Amino acid sequence: MEFEIARRFTFDAAHHLPWHSGACRKVHGHTYTLDVVVRGPLDDRGIVMDFADLDAAVRTVVERLDHTDLNLLFENPTAEMIAADVYRQLINAGLAVSEVVLCETPRNSVRVTG
């Protein structure tokens, strides 16, 4: 039997997309919502992983992004590129991530799966 646990995070950041023909060409900011889903069997304690451990692993990634100019971190700071980077970092940290969902606005999100 497999289980999934999820935890939601938020961070604020600014960016601009020089190639964009609309408003996103200008510097603007978002309050991003990040959902991280980890999949696995239950351990001998009856959990997939401790939420505190998940929180600690993701906080490291979120702190790098929070209150930054994302153009200084990414050549092309689209929601897709940011989400892919978060996914890779968490996988490289050893988390059994099955999904990352990054919401740029209440209506716009990107989902990355393995």
Side-chain angles (χ1 to χ4, degrees):
M1 208 180 322
E2 291 278 314
F3 292 83
E4 289 184 331
I5 63 168
R7 184 119 169 139
R8 178 165 290 162
F9 304 84
T10 60
F11 63 93
D12 297 299
H15 72 147
H16 69 281
L17 304 174
W19 55 264
H20 199 276
S21 62
C24 293
R25 182 178 197 75
K26 300 176 185 177
V27 176
H28 62 283
H30 299 284
T31 296
Y32 291 89
T33 301
L34 175 68
D35 293 334
V36 176
V37 181
V38 174
R39 173 186 291 258
L42 299 182
D43 66 13
D44 59 347
R45 301 169 296 170
I47 62 173
V48 173
M49 76 178 296
D50 191 304
F51 280 108
D53 295 336
L54 176 57
D55 188 60
V58 177
R59 277 279 158 225
T60 301
V61 174
V62 168
E63 286 173 357
R64 177 178 160 257
L65 303 171
D66 191 35
H67 284 81
T68 63
D69 175 351
L70 295 171
N71 290 80
L72 299 176
L73 300 175
F74 300 91
E75 184 176 325
N76 185 23
T78 64
E80 292 87 344
M81 299 302 287
I82 299 163
D85 183 70
V86 168
Y87 185 89
R88 278 191 295 274
Q89 286 187 63
L90 295 176
I91 291 292
N92 290 340
L95 291 181
V97 177
S98 63
E99 179 177 270
V100 166
V101 179
L102 182 67
C103 300
E104 192 173 66
T105 70
R107 296 181 348 152
N108 299 333
S109 66
V110 59
R111 181 180 311 270
V112 180
T113 59

